[in-house]
Amino acid sequence: MNAIQTYQLSRSFGNLKAVDRLTLEVPRGTVFGFLGPNGSGKTTTIRLLLGLLDADAGRAEVLGYDTREQADQVRSRSGALLEHHGLYERLSAAENLDYYGRIWHMSKTERESRIRELLEPLGLYERRDEPIGRWSRGMKQKLAVARTLIHHPELVFLDEPTAGLDPVASAALREDLAMLAEQEGVTIFLTTHNLAEAEKLCNQVAVINHGQLLVLGSPADLRSRTSAPRLYVSGQGFTSQMIESLRANTLVSSMRQSNGQVVMDLTDLSRSHEIVTQLIGAGVQIDEVRKEKADLEDVFLRLVEEEDRGEG
Amino acid sequence: MIADILTVTWKELREMLMFGDSRGRSKLSLVVLLLIFGVVIPLQNGREWVASPISAMVWAWMPYMWVYSVVADSFAGERERHTLEALLATRLSDRAILFGKLLAALAYGFTLTWAILLVSLVTVNVAVRGAGLLLFSPLMTAGALVFSILISGLSASIGVVVSLRAGSVRQAQQWMSFGMLILFLPLMLIQFIPKALLESVGNALTNADPQQIAVWAAVALLVIQSVLLTVAMRLFQRSKLILD
């Protein structure tokens, strides 16, 4: 059974289609990355899935519950870290978690042991009685993640959890998220525009732009499905005639040249030696040849650019 | 539902009592208020404090002011500090959140009023010795009890409605101040009422049964609160609050 299933889910604000006929499935137990540039509809999608907003058309089921008719059931079984951490800055860390534990009807003993269980691995337990107002943003984000897990939810929504954090704090939070996801065994629906984050954390990713789903699959699938393997050749002696002959080669799907380097997307990376032979034959003095598959960032940028050009 | 309401109330009261309102009024300001209304004014009034109906009028209006100072924060403050959406994303029902906040404001006004009332009794009994134990009459005690709840409730209801609509705590407080002006407007307009009319109203009030007036006032307050609660329940829509 899927944790999340949407069918042609749509929501507009005036003329703006924030979510446009979104159909997707998120299997239980996965860390699902929902990628998209700012304003692409990620936050609206989370709000629709939590039943905080009503869809204009289509429908969604979360943990088997209809988000329009049974939103309270969805929220009972989920945790959410939304755009803002939403912590009470005048209260201590323990009081923040305790309040949310009370909301989920946990007993005092359960709340106390759960607070310890969550804060110790995050390195925050010793500081649990401090008001959090003066804590760093990274510490507050960690605490907010702990808050989403306090009641052992089946599904957790994390809306750009590392946004606004410095690289060190982001990396630390990512590690904590990976650890908690494994330890808690929950389904995580993570929105981000940080591709490295998605690549490190997610089993499945979807790319959304202008509210529309562009692609869905594992990071590896996406790379193989949407990007050609790439060949980087550095050296001297590239002539315009040679560049034209390379462009004419059916093995080369696209290419660009800059600063003594030629970058080619190949249809078959295993035949890259043919290109190298062609270049040597044409008199190029090769310094370096490097083959690699495009990373998720290349895939993402390409998809978004194509969609923006209306080719998607 | 009751447990959920009490959970919200617990958190709200904790913030109100520990940290005061959003303008930073803290426990110290509560102590100052306690000294003014629990010690200074009762000392000035002496034994009259427990006998005069004026004190009952004072206690009937006080809760409005206590509640007014904190209730503007209820929704506008949560929205301003970006804590509202996280709360709305929990399992709590709309009514649990709404009534939890209402109950907290009401309890704050009621508790503060009665704390001051009790301190004032201690003050007058210490100050006026040899007159036996000075206490409010049972009728006045019952009136203070009922009206401190009703006026706290009225202020809490107005505050929650205002706070739901206001864009910021400051705006909510401005609207609440304006509301207070409207409440006192009849007193300011008294000078413009023809003397004959005033006299006839005065006579009617003097001849009327005070208990009957109190009952009618209580009924009127309950009706107003019911209307305000209906408005608050209509205004409390998760999607609207999030998009606001």
PDB file of all heavy atoms in Angstrom, chain A residues 73-99:
ATOM      1  N   GLN A  73      -7.754  12.332  10.264  1.00  0.00           N
ATOM      2  CA  GLN A  73      -7.081  11.029  10.351  1.00  0.00           C
ATOM      3  C   GLN A  73      -5.658  11.132   9.787  1.00  0.00           C
ATOM      4  O   GLN A  73      -4.719  10.548  10.328  1.00  0.00           O
ATOM      5  CB  GLN A  73      -7.867   9.962   9.569  1.00  0.00           C
ATOM      6  CG  GLN A  73      -9.237   9.677  10.122  1.00  0.00           C
ATOM      7  CD  GLN A  73      -9.177   8.971  11.470  1.00  0.00           C
ATOM      8  OE1 GLN A  73      -8.178   8.359  11.823  1.00  0.00           O
ATOM      9  NE2 GLN A  73     -10.230   9.090  12.255  1.00  0.00           N
ATOM     10  N   VAL A  74      -5.543  11.875   8.705  1.00  0.00           N
ATOM     11  CA  VAL A  74      -4.221  12.056   8.080  1.00  0.00           C
ATOM     12  C   VAL A  74      -3.293  12.752   9.075  1.00  0.00           C
ATOM     13  O   VAL A  74      -2.167  12.310   9.323  1.00  0.00           O
ATOM     14  CB  VAL A  74      -4.338  12.898   6.790  1.00  0.00           C
ATOM     15  CG1 VAL A  74      -2.959  13.255   6.244  1.00  0.00           C
ATOM     16  CG2 VAL A  74      -5.153  12.165   5.730  1.00  0.00           C
ATOM     17  N   ARG A  75      -3.793  13.832   9.655  1.00  0.00           N
ATOM     18  CA  ARG A  75      -2.955  14.620  10.569  1.00  0.00           C
ATOM     19  C   ARG A  75      -2.635  13.849  11.850  1.00  0.00           C
ATOM     20  O   ARG A  75      -1.585  14.036  12.440  1.00  0.00           O
ATOM     21  CB  ARG A  75      -3.625  15.954  10.890  1.00  0.00           C
ATOM     22  CG  ARG A  75      -3.609  16.922   9.710  1.00  0.00           C
ATOM     23  CD  ARG A  75      -4.009  18.318  10.126  1.00  0.00           C
ATOM     24  NE  ARG A  75      -5.398  18.416  10.496  1.00  0.00           N
ATOM     25  CZ  ARG A  75      -6.385  18.782   9.682  1.00  0.00           C
ATOM     26  NH1 ARG A  75      -6.106  19.109   8.431  1.00  0.00           N
ATOM     27  NH2 ARG A  75      -7.623  18.854  10.095  1.00  0.00           N
ATOM     28  N   SER A  76      -3.562  12.964  12.247  1.00  0.00           N
ATOM     29  CA  SER A  76      -3.317  12.159  13.463  1.00  0.00           C
ATOM     30  C   SER A  76      -2.132  11.225  13.291  1.00  0.00           C
ATOM     31  O   SER A  76      -1.439  10.912  14.248  1.00  0.00           O
ATOM     32  CB  SER A  76      -4.536  11.296  13.787  1.00  0.00           C
ATOM     33  OG  SER A  76      -5.549  12.100  14.281  1.00  0.00           O
ATOM     34  N   ARG A  77      -1.923  10.775  12.049  1.00  0.00           N
ATOM     35  CA  ARG A  77      -0.896   9.767  11.799  1.00  0.00           C
ATOM     36  C   ARG A  77       0.364  10.339  11.163  1.00  0.00           C
ATOM     37  O   ARG A  77       1.252   9.595  10.767  1.00  0.00           O
ATOM     38  CB  ARG A  77      -1.483   8.677  10.899  1.00  0.00           C
ATOM     39  CG  ARG A  77      -2.508   7.832  11.606  1.00  0.00           C
ATOM     40  CD  ARG A  77      -3.386   7.060  10.650  1.00  0.00           C
ATOM     41  NE  ARG A  77      -4.280   6.170  11.380  1.00  0.00           N
ATOM     42  CZ  ARG A  77      -5.377   6.555  12.024  1.00  0.00           C
ATOM     43  NH1 ARG A  77      -5.734   7.842  12.008  1.00  0.00           N
ATOM     44  NH2 ARG A  77      -6.131   5.704  12.678  1.00  0.00           N
ATOM     45  N   SER A  78       0.386  11.665  11.012  1.00  0.00           N
ATOM     46  CA  SER A  78       1.539  12.284  10.340  1.00  0.00           C
ATOM     47  C   SER A  78       2.228  13.271  11.264  1.00  0.00           C
ATOM     48  O   SER A  78       1.663  13.728  12.256  1.00  0.00           O
ATOM     49  CB  SER A  78       1.075  13.066   9.104  1.00  0.00           C
ATOM     50  OG  SER A  78       0.217  12.309   8.323  1.00  0.00           O
ATOM     51  N   GLY A  79       3.443  13.611  10.883  1.00  0.00           N
ATOM     52  CA  GLY A  79       4.155  14.708  11.534  1.00  0.00           C
ATOM     53  C   GLY A  79       4.559  15.680  10.445  1.00  0.00           C
ATOM     54  O   GLY A  79       4.739  15.274   9.295  1.00  0.00           O
ATOM     55  N   ALA A  80       4.683  16.939  10.785  1.00  0.00           N
ATOM     56  CA  ALA A  80       5.014  17.903   9.728  1.00  0.00           C
ATOM     57  C   ALA A  80       5.955  18.985  10.235  1.00  0.00           C
ATOM     58  O   ALA A  80       5.728  19.583  11.278  1.00  0.00           O
ATOM     59  CB  ALA A  80       3.733  18.539   9.199  1.00  0.00           C
ATOM     60  N   LEU A  81       7.015  19.160   9.468  1.00  0.00           N
ATOM     61  CA  LEU A  81       7.883  20.329   9.679  1.00  0.00           C
ATOM     62  C   LEU A  81       7.683  21.177   8.434  1.00  0.00           C
ATOM     63  O   LEU A  81       8.124  20.812   7.343  1.00  0.00           O
ATOM     64  CB  LEU A  81       9.348  19.903   9.831  1.00  0.00           C
ATOM     65  CG  LEU A  81      10.401  21.001   9.728  1.00  0.00           C
ATOM     66  CD1 LEU A  81      10.128  22.138  10.698  1.00  0.00           C
ATOM     67  CD2 LEU A  81      11.787  20.442   9.997  1.00  0.00           C
ATOM     68  N   LEU A  82       6.971  22.272   8.602  1.00  0.00           N
ATOM     69  CA  LEU A  82       6.575  23.069   7.444  1.00  0.00           C
ATOM     70  C   LEU A  82       7.591  24.184   7.192  1.00  0.00           C
ATOM     71  O   LEU A  82       8.699  24.137   7.708  1.00  0.00           O
ATOM     72  CB  LEU A  82       5.153  23.590   7.663  1.00  0.00           C
ATOM     73  CG  LEU A  82       4.150  22.439   7.898  1.00  0.00           C
ATOM     74  CD1 LEU A  82       2.821  22.950   8.371  1.00  0.00           C
ATOM     75  CD2 LEU A  82       3.992  21.606   6.642  1.00  0.00           C
ATOM     76  N   GLU A  83       7.165  25.136   6.400  1.00  0.00           N
ATOM     77  CA  GLU A  83       8.067  26.194   5.937  1.00  0.00           C
ATOM     78  C   GLU A  83       8.869  26.821   7.098  1.00  0.00           C
ATOM     79  O   GLU A  83      10.059  27.077   6.980  1.00  0.00           O
ATOM     80  CB  GLU A  83       7.204  27.250   5.253  1.00  0.00           C
ATOM     81  CG  GLU A  83       7.937  28.107   4.273  1.00  0.00           C
ATOM     82  CD  GLU A  83       6.956  29.024   3.542  1.00  0.00           C
ATOM     83  OE1 GLU A  83       5.730  28.879   3.733  1.00  0.00           O
ATOM     84  OE2 GLU A  83       7.444  29.887   2.807  1.00  0.00           O
ATOM     85  N   HIS A  84       8.181  27.084   8.217  1.00  0.00           N
ATOM     86  CA  HIS A  84       8.847  27.623   9.405  1.00  0.00           C
ATOM     87  C   HIS A  84       8.878  26.528  10.468  1.00  0.00           C
ATOM     88  O   HIS A  84       7.990  25.686  10.499  1.00  0.00           O
ATOM     89  CB  HIS A  84       8.084  28.833   9.941  1.00  0.00           C
ATOM     90  CG  HIS A  84       7.948  29.927   8.931  1.00  0.00           C
ATOM     91  ND1 HIS A  84       8.980  30.793   8.636  1.00  0.00           N
ATOM     92  CD2 HIS A  84       6.928  30.282   8.118  1.00  0.00           C
ATOM     93  CE1 HIS A  84       8.587  31.637   7.696  1.00  0.00           C
ATOM     94  NE2 HIS A  84       7.344  31.344   7.366  1.00  0.00           N
ATOM     95  N   HIS A  85       9.895  26.599  11.362  1.00  0.00           N
ATOM     96  CA  HIS A  85      10.014  25.502  12.326  1.00  0.00           C
ATOM     97  C   HIS A  85       8.829  25.447  13.289  1.00  0.00           C
ATOM     98  O   HIS A  85       8.481  24.383  13.791  1.00  0.00           O
ATOM     99  CB  HIS A  85      11.342  25.555  13.077  1.00  0.00           C
ATOM    100  CG  HIS A  85      11.602  26.832  13.801  1.00  0.00           C
ATOM    101  ND1 HIS A  85      10.829  27.257  14.847  1.00  0.00           N
ATOM    102  CD2 HIS A  85      12.548  27.775  13.622  1.00  0.00           C
ATOM    103  CE1 HIS A  85      11.295  28.401  15.291  1.00  0.00           C
ATOM    104  NE2 HIS A  85      12.340  28.760  14.558  1.00  0.00           N
ATOM    105  N   GLY A  86       8.190  26.594  13.539  1.00  0.00           N
ATOM    106  CA  GLY A  86       6.964  26.588  14.334  1.00  0.00           C
ATOM    107  C   GLY A  86       7.156  26.272  15.804  1.00  0.00           C
ATOM    108  O   GLY A  86       6.225  25.831  16.477  1.00  0.00           O
ATOM    109  N   LEU A  87       8.350  26.496  16.314  1.00  0.00           N
ATOM    110  CA  LEU A  87       8.606  26.223  17.736  1.00  0.00           C
ATOM    111  C   LEU A  87       8.270  27.445  18.571  1.00  0.00           C
ATOM    112  O   LEU A  87       8.361  28.583  18.087  1.00  0.00           O
ATOM    113  CB  LEU A  87      10.082  25.875  17.936  1.00  0.00           C
ATOM    114  CG  LEU A  87      10.567  24.607  17.234  1.00  0.00           C
ATOM    115  CD1 LEU A  87      12.087  24.601  17.168  1.00  0.00           C
ATOM    116  CD2 LEU A  87      10.064  23.359  17.950  1.00  0.00           C
ATOM    117  N   TYR A  88       7.901  27.214  19.826  1.00  0.00           N
ATOM    118  CA  TYR A  88       7.615  28.320  20.745  1.00  0.00           C
ATOM    119  C   TYR A  88       8.929  28.758  21.386  1.00  0.00           C
ATOM    120  O   TYR A  88       9.494  28.030  22.199  1.00  0.00           O
ATOM    121  CB  TYR A  88       6.588  27.880  21.794  1.00  0.00           C
ATOM    122  CG  TYR A  88       5.263  27.559  21.163  1.00  0.00           C
ATOM    123  CD1 TYR A  88       4.917  26.254  20.845  1.00  0.00           C
ATOM    124  CD2 TYR A  88       4.380  28.576  20.808  1.00  0.00           C
ATOM    125  CE1 TYR A  88       3.711  25.963  20.213  1.00  0.00           C
ATOM    126  CE2 TYR A  88       3.178  28.297  20.189  1.00  0.00           C
ATOM    127  CZ  TYR A  88       2.856  26.986  19.894  1.00  0.00           C
ATOM    128  OH  TYR A  88       1.674  26.703  19.263  1.00  0.00           O
ATOM    129  N   GLU A  89       9.398  29.916  20.987  1.00  0.00           N
ATOM    130  CA  GLU A  89      10.759  30.315  21.357  1.00  0.00           C
ATOM    131  C   GLU A  89      10.884  30.689  22.824  1.00  0.00           C
ATOM    132  O   GLU A  89      11.982  30.715  23.355  1.00  0.00           O
ATOM    133  CB  GLU A  89      11.214  31.468  20.458  1.00  0.00           C
ATOM    134  CG  GLU A  89      11.123  31.090  18.986  1.00  0.00           C
ATOM    135  CD  GLU A  89      12.318  31.514  18.177  1.00  0.00           C
ATOM    136  OE1 GLU A  89      13.015  32.438  18.619  1.00  0.00           O
ATOM    137  OE2 GLU A  89      12.546  30.915  17.105  1.00  0.00           O
ATOM    138  N   ARG A  90       9.769  30.999  23.483  1.00  0.00           N
ATOM    139  CA  ARG A  90       9.856  31.350  24.897  1.00  0.00           C
ATOM    140  C   ARG A  90       9.859  30.099  25.783  1.00  0.00           C
ATOM    141  O   ARG A  90      10.183  30.167  26.954  1.00  0.00           O
ATOM    142  CB  ARG A  90       8.701  32.282  25.289  1.00  0.00           C
ATOM    143  CG  ARG A  90       8.771  33.619  24.532  1.00  0.00           C
ATOM    144  CD  ARG A  90       7.726  34.592  24.995  1.00  0.00           C
ATOM    145  NE  ARG A  90       6.378  34.186  24.649  1.00  0.00           N
ATOM    146  CZ  ARG A  90       5.301  34.947  24.833  1.00  0.00           C
ATOM    147  NH1 ARG A  90       5.430  36.139  25.363  1.00  0.00           N
ATOM    148  NH2 ARG A  90       4.096  34.521  24.490  1.00  0.00           N
ATOM    149  N   LEU A  91       9.454  28.986  25.195  1.00  0.00           N
ATOM    150  CA  LEU A  91       9.457  27.735  25.966  1.00  0.00           C
ATOM    151  C   LEU A  91      10.783  27.007  25.766  1.00  0.00           C
ATOM    152  O   LEU A  91      11.509  27.265  24.809  1.00  0.00           O
ATOM    153  CB  LEU A  91       8.308  26.829  25.507  1.00  0.00           C
ATOM    154  CG  LEU A  91       6.880  27.362  25.650  1.00  0.00           C
ATOM    155  CD1 LEU A  91       5.884  26.303  25.187  1.00  0.00           C
ATOM    156  CD2 LEU A  91       6.566  27.771  27.084  1.00  0.00           C
ATOM    157  N   SER A  92      11.069  26.086  26.670  1.00  0.00           N
ATOM    158  CA  SER A  92      12.296  25.300  26.532  1.00  0.00           C
ATOM    159  C   SER A  92      12.079  24.209  25.485  1.00  0.00           C
ATOM    160  O   SER A  92      10.948  23.953  25.053  1.00  0.00           O
ATOM    161  CB  SER A  92      12.662  24.671  27.870  1.00  0.00           C
ATOM    162  OG  SER A  92      11.716  23.663  28.187  1.00  0.00           O
ATOM    163  N   ALA A  93      13.194  23.558  25.131  1.00  0.00           N
ATOM    164  CA  ALA A  93      13.110  22.464  24.152  1.00  0.00           C
ATOM    165  C   ALA A  93      12.187  21.372  24.664  1.00  0.00           C
ATOM    166  O   ALA A  93      11.319  20.869  23.941  1.00  0.00           O
ATOM    167  CB  ALA A  93      14.501  21.917  23.898  1.00  0.00           C
ATOM    168  N   ALA A  94      12.369  21.023  25.952  1.00  0.00           N
ATOM    169  CA  ALA A  94      11.552  19.949  26.532  1.00  0.00           C
ATOM    170  C   ALA A  94      10.078  20.351  26.562  1.00  0.00           C
ATOM    171  O   ALA A  94       9.199  19.527  26.277  1.00  0.00           O
ATOM    172  CB  ALA A  94      12.039  19.627  27.938  1.00  0.00           C
ATOM    173  N   GLU A  95       9.801  21.614  26.879  1.00  0.00           N
ATOM    174  CA  GLU A  95       8.398  22.068  26.931  1.00  0.00           C
ATOM    175  C   GLU A  95       7.761  22.047  25.548  1.00  0.00           C
ATOM    176  O   GLU A  95       6.585  21.695  25.403  1.00  0.00           O
ATOM    177  CB  GLU A  95       8.328  23.487  27.514  1.00  0.00           C
ATOM    178  CG  GLU A  95       8.531  23.522  29.016  1.00  0.00           C
ATOM    179  CD  GLU A  95       8.707  24.927  29.557  1.00  0.00           C
ATOM    180  OE1 GLU A  95       9.207  25.805  28.814  1.00  0.00           O
ATOM    181  OE2 GLU A  95       8.373  25.153  30.723  1.00  0.00           O
ATOM    182  N   ASN A  96       8.533  22.418  24.525  1.00  0.00           N
ATOM    183  CA  ASN A  96       8.014  22.355  23.161  1.00  0.00           C
ATOM    184  C   ASN A  96       7.604  20.931  22.802  1.00  0.00           C
ATOM    185  O   ASN A  96       6.513  20.699  22.280  1.00  0.00           O
ATOM    186  CB  ASN A  96       9.074  22.849  22.169  1.00  0.00           C
ATOM    187  CG  ASN A  96       8.952  24.330  21.861  1.00  0.00           C
ATOM    188  OD1 ASN A  96       8.078  24.737  21.108  1.00  0.00           O
ATOM    189  ND2 ASN A  96       9.810  25.136  22.466  1.00  0.00           N
ATOM    190  N   LEU A  97       8.510  19.991  23.087  1.00  0.00           N
ATOM    191  CA  LEU A  97       8.200  18.593  22.754  1.00  0.00           C
ATOM    192  C   LEU A  97       7.085  18.054  23.636  1.00  0.00           C
ATOM    193  O   LEU A  97       6.228  17.292  23.176  1.00  0.00           O
ATOM    194  CB  LEU A  97       9.454  17.723  22.891  1.00  0.00           C
ATOM    195  CG  LEU A  97      10.620  18.049  21.957  1.00  0.00           C
ATOM    196  CD1 LEU A  97      11.703  16.993  22.089  1.00  0.00           C
ATOM    197  CD2 LEU A  97      10.177  18.130  20.508  1.00  0.00           C
ATOM    198  N   ASP A  98       7.102  18.467  24.893  1.00  0.00           N
ATOM    199  CA  ASP A  98       6.081  18.001  25.836  1.00  0.00           C
ATOM    200  C   ASP A  98       4.685  18.431  25.378  1.00  0.00           C
ATOM    201  O   ASP A  98       3.733  17.650  25.438  1.00  0.00           O
ATOM    202  CB  ASP A  98       6.377  18.572  27.226  1.00  0.00           C
ATOM    203  CG  ASP A  98       5.490  17.948  28.278  1.00  0.00           C
ATOM    204  OD1 ASP A  98       5.618  16.731  28.503  1.00  0.00           O
ATOM    205  OD2 ASP A  98       4.656  18.665  28.866  1.00  0.00           O
ATOM    206  N   TYR A  99       4.589  19.673  24.884  1.00  0.00           N
ATOM    207  CA  TYR A  99       3.294  20.179  24.406  1.00  0.00           C
ATOM    208  C   TYR A  99       2.774  19.312  23.261  1.00  0.00           C
ATOM    209  O   TYR A  99       1.613  18.885  23.258  1.00  0.00           O
ATOM    210  CB  TYR A  99       3.459  21.630  23.958  1.00  0.00           C
ATOM    211  CG  TYR A  99       2.208  22.282  23.389  1.00  0.00           C
ATOM    212  CD1 TYR A  99       0.964  22.068  23.972  1.00  0.00           C
ATOM    213  CD2 TYR A  99       2.282  23.122  22.287  1.00  0.00           C
ATOM    214  CE1 TYR A  99      -0.176  22.675  23.461  1.00  0.00           C
ATOM    215  CE2 TYR A  99       1.149  23.742  21.779  1.00  0.00           C
ATOM    216  CZ  TYR A  99      -0.076  23.519  22.362  1.00  0.00           C
ATOM    217  OH  TYR A  99      -1.205  24.122  21.861  1.00  0.00           O
TER     218      TYR A  99
END
